[in-house]
Structures are given as C-alpha cells and as structure tokens.
Amino acid sequence: MGTKKVILAYSGGLDTSCCVRWLKDRGWDVICFMADLGQEMDVATARKRARAAGASKLYVKNLRKEFIEEIIWPTLQAGAVYEGKYYLATALGRPLIGKYLALLAKEEGASAVAHGCTGKGNDQVRIELAVRMLNPGLKIIAPVREWEFGSREEEIEYCRLNRIPIDVSKKKVYSIDENLWGVSIECGVLEDPFVEPPADAYQITTDPSQLKAKPVYLDIEFKEGVPIKINGKRMKAEELIRYLNKLGGKYGIGRIDMVEDRLVGIKSREIYEAPAAEILYTAHKELEMLVLDRDTLHFKTLISNRFAQLVYFGLWFSPLRKAMSAFVSETQKTVSGLVRLKIGPGWVKVVGRKSRFSRYKKRLATYDSTDKFDHKAAEGFIKLWGLPFE
Ligand code: ARG
C-alpha cells in the first residue's frame, strides 16, 4: 500500500502546526497548503515550521485576484451583510480554501484533505461543504475536533516535545482571522458581550474617539457595480481595497461589535474591522438608489439578506447562490457612476452621486417653475389606488 496523502489547509500558527505532526503520527504524508487571501503572511517561518512538524511539501497560492473578482465583488453587488452588520470577510475566504484543497488533492493524488477548524465554528462547515461540492469522494479530517489537547498549553508542550519551533513569547489574547476584506477578532475578554473591546483588540483601525482628523471627500467611481477609480485615479482592485482599508482604518471606519448567530446554533460575540467594505457598501448602495428602478431596488433587498445567509452558512457553491448571483449581475448593468463620500472620525456619509444611467429627473422632481410633472394626473391615480379600500 502506498502512503496515504493528505492536503492540509495550513496557516503557520500553533493549531495547524500541531495538525501536521498529528496527521503524520497517524501515517499520513502531509502536504501543506497556504491560501494567500491578502492577509499578512510570514511564509519563511511557516515553511520552517511545516517542515519541522513533518510536512513533505508546502504550497502557497496567491488567490487574491480570484477572491476579489469571483467572491468579494459579487457579494458587494448583492449588498449582502449578515445579520445587518457583518461584511463576511472570513466567511467569504473559506470556500476558496476548500476549493483549492480539493484541486490540490486531485493534482497530488491525495485521498484526503484536512483543516484546523474547531467543532463549534462556521469555518469547518464552509471549508468542508466547498470540498464536498467539488469532490464528494475525498476524506475530510479535522484533527482539532478529535485530538486529545484540551488547551493551548498542551499544544505548546506537544510542539516542544516534537521540536516544532513555535513562538510563544507573545501571549495570545484573541483569535484573529484576517484577509483583504477584513479582520475577525474573538475570544478572551470579548467573550463577555457586555465588556467593551479593549484598544488592543482592534488590529487595523484607530479609535475614532481619539481622532481630531478633519473630514475629507472621497470620490468613488463604479463600472457595472465594481469600483474602479478613487478620486479620479484608476486603481487595480487589490490596490483599491488596500487603499480604502488604510484610509478608512486611519479614520476608525468599519469597526463592528456584534453578537451573531452561528450555524451550529450558538450565539457568539465577535469584533470586526472592515473599513474598505463599509465604505464600498455605502457608496455602492447609494449608486443603486440612483440608477435602479423602484421594483428592482426593492426586490434586491430580499436577495441581499438571503445571499448573506447562504454565504455565512457555507453555501457559496450552491445552486441557489449561483442563481442569485446571476440575478444580481443582471441588475448591475447600469450601476456605473460616481459617488462622493465624506469621511470623518468613525463615519462615512454620502454627499453626492451622479450617473449617465441616473433615473433622477429634475424636471419631474423639482418644485420650481420648470416643473413638468402632471399634477392633475395625481387625482385620478389616487382615486383608483384607494378604490379597493372603499
Ligand atoms: N464569526 C466569523 C464567521 O463565522 C469569524 C470566524 C473566525 N473568527 C476568528 N476570530 N477566528 O464568519
């Protein structure tokens, strides 16, 4: 019998480094896979750790372009926000990780894939469903759900015994997940939903209450629902998101503190930072309000909510999500134009919008002498509108 091969979604951190060794101890040839979704990564250190833990290979794949074009933009266009607050950064990254686990397994002739998610989170569901929708034959191993370690200390001891170089000098206070679209922070003192997040919980935004920064204007231009220019300057998608994260972060925009409903039935408290998402959602929605007809605009709000739920619940690759994306795409044909925002400490407001597809007609809206609205027609209209209720 040949060696059993497994592809492990690897982050370079403590949990997944333990996973490498744990799988290896159970007879697996472990191939590590790191997905580059725009998070900060120390590949050199990760490579050292993976090797020391017993991995035979480490693949690093830049998925940023696909992440933005195939996942982030369609979600922004759908206006999807989970439970009205969460811009879904973590939830959007997981399906791609699952997809590439399945693809790599095929390339490498592996019979299994593995991940370091716990048994009570959403991420296990998202990764595993993506893997299964693409290749239902693969075995999926989740060491953290099965293994004997009951604490971080025990994992550290396991690494020490197995000579896996882990930096434990910094005490870990939070569990943090990060990608280009935002940062998710949980655990530690945040587990008490009444405790205000301490300053050190936030990773990429400054505390707006400490800021004296003057408000600035920000022009965002969209083409078919995709942001393409900032203040008149054309930017590549990744550059544009990074620019807005930096600027918004400096202004303390996009801090979210929420108690959310996980798929596995529990409520959890999480802090999010998503400056670019907050700015782009604000601008995009405003442009839609200018260019979409009333029925489409109103119908789309139904889609937004359901879309967010599907994403959060791990169903990115489902037929319904794809069908809803097809609908959303159709609505974006006229979502081109310019939105002028004003941003200040902790806030972003719309102050102007224009588009060649604008449905705003001054001659109908105005109250001055150029008014072309047929006031007399209103009388008959109201008569019939109210008829069913007489
Ligand atoms: N609660 C978020 C979600 O389910 C983020 C999960 C990961 N969070 C973390 N801090 N590691 O999408």
Side-chain angles (χ1 to χ4, degrees):
M1 197 188 100
T3 21
K4 314 177 288 179
K5 265 194 200 174
V6 61
I7 316 289
L8 168 69
Y10 187 63
S11 74
L14 178 65
D15 288 341
T16 50
S17 296
C18 288
C19 287
V20 175
R21 182 74 216 188
W22 189 91
L23 287 163
K24 178 106 178 128
D25 283 346
R26 277 151 191 79
W28 290 94
D29 172 12
V30 185
I31 295 168
C32 289
F33 163 61
M34 279 180 103
D36 175 0
L37 299 172
Q39 74 276 29
E40 243 178 68
M41 294 204 302
D42 179 353
V43 176
T45 305
R47 200 172 287 284
K48 233 185 280 164
R49 282 184 189 164
R51 192 155 295 155
S56 58
K57 270 186 213 169
L58 170 74
Y59 285 105
V60 181
K61 203 161 171 56
N62 176 354
L63 303 177
R64 301 191 299 250
K65 192 167 186 292
E66 183 175 354
F67 186 37
I68 299 170
E69 288 172 5
E70 307 291 324
I71 298 189
I72 293 176
W73 289 160
T75 304
L76 167 71
Q77 293 173 334
V81 191
Y82 186 64
E83 295 189 333
K85 292 177 92 169
Y86 172 34
Y87 294 112
L88 297 160
T90 297
L92 290 170
R94 302 311 187 191
L96 259 196
I97 296 176
K99 172 179 169 182
Y100 280 89
L101 282 175
L103 289 177
L104 258 182
K106 186 161 183 215
E107 244 177 74
E108 281 284 336
S111 57
V113 301
H115 60 73
C117 306
T118 73
K120 63 189 211 188
N122 300 309
D123 291 330
Q124 52 175 351
V125 183
R126 297 167 182 154
I127 292 179
E128 292 185 26
L129 288 192
V131 169
R132 278 174 44 201
M133 286 188 201
L134 296 164
N135 184 352
L138 282 169
K139 181 179 166 65
I140 302 174
I141 313 172
V144 180
R145 286 202 299 243
E146 319 180 17
W147 69 23
E148 56 284 8
F149 313 125
S151 68
R152 191 175 145 78
E153 285 64 40
E154 284 174 47
E155 291 181 35
I156 293 172
E157 179 59 14
Y158 180 72
C159 286
R160 202 184 58 77
L161 287 174
N162 288 289
R163 298 178 199 288
I164 304 169
I166 288 287
D167 176 17
V168 288
S169 56
K170 274 183 279 154
K171 191 156 164 28
K172 196 176 162 213
V173 210
Y174 307 106
S175 160
I176 299 174
D177 179 66
E178 186 210 342
N179 64 41
L180 201 54
W181 203 227
V183 186
S184 310
I185 309 128
E186 60 180 353
C187 301
V189 289
L190 302 174
E191 286 179 357
D192 180 344
F194 196 69
V195 167
E196 182 177 357
D200 72 347
Y202 293 102
Q203 311 297 311
I204 60 165
T205 55
T206 24
D207 180 354
S209 67
Q210 304 294 317
L211 284 172
K212 289 200 185 63
K214 272 224 187 77
V216 286
Y217 291 102
L218 187 65
D219 283 354
I220 303 187
E221 192 177 327
F222 289 84
K223 189 177 172 214
E224 296 180 11
V226 172
I228 52 162
K229 281 188 194 169
I230 304 269
N231 294 333
K233 186 173 169 251
R234 187 174 278 276
M235 287 188 191
K236 287 220 173 72
E238 181 177 341
E239 184 195 1
L240 184 142
I241 294 173
R242 289 199 190 275
Y243 177 83
L244 292 180
N245 270 336
K246 201 153 171 207
L247 180 74
K250 216 174 74 186
Y251 276 85
I253 290 168
R255 287 185 165 196
I256 290 122
D257 177 346
M258 76 187 280
V259 172
E260 71 194 37
D261 286 279
R262 285 194 191 166
L263 179 56
V264 294
I266 56 178
K267 285 191 186 286
S268 69
R269 200 271 190 103
E270 189 118 29
I271 306 299
Y272 297 106
E273 295 174 283
E278 172 110 355
I279 293 170
L280 288 172
Y281 267 77
T282 304
H284 178 265
K285 185 171 161 199
E286 193 65 28
L287 188 54
E288 285 191 330
M289 294 177 86
L290 184 69
V291 303
L292 294 185
D293 65 282
R294 181 175 64 193
D295 274 342
T296 306
L297 186 71
H298 291 186
F299 187 77
K300 214 173 154 275
T301 61
L302 304 175
I303 294 284
S304 304
N305 201 26
R306 196 70 180 84
F307 195 105
Q309 234 178 47
L310 285 178
V311 170
Y312 189 89
F313 292 169
L315 297 169
W316 179 265
F317 292 112
S318 65
L320 179 56
R321 202 282 307 161
K322 284 181 197 157
M324 289 200 307
S325 282
F327 166 79
V328 171
S329 280
E330 175 67 27
T331 65
Q332 299 301 293
K333 288 180 176 162
T334 57
V335 186
S336 303
L338 185 70
V339 179
R340 177 161 294 171
L341 303 169
K342 200 170 186 176
I343 67 173
W347 53 263
V348 46
K349 284 187 191 345
V350 177
V351 294
R353 69 291 270 160
K354 63 176 177 182
S355 164
R356 67 192 170 96
F357 298 108
S358 172
R359 288 179 179 272
Y360 177 87
K361 294 183 180 75
K362 175 135 189 298
R363 64 176 196 281
L364 296 180
T366 186
Y367 285 94
D368 71 20
S369 60
T370 60
D371 185 6
K372 293 282 176 298
F373 188 87
D374 182 356
H375 288 249
K376 291 205 189 72
E379 191 185 337
F381 166 72
I382 298 165
K383 214 178 241 166
L384 300 188
W385 183 241
L387 200 53
F389 315 109
E390 276 173 14

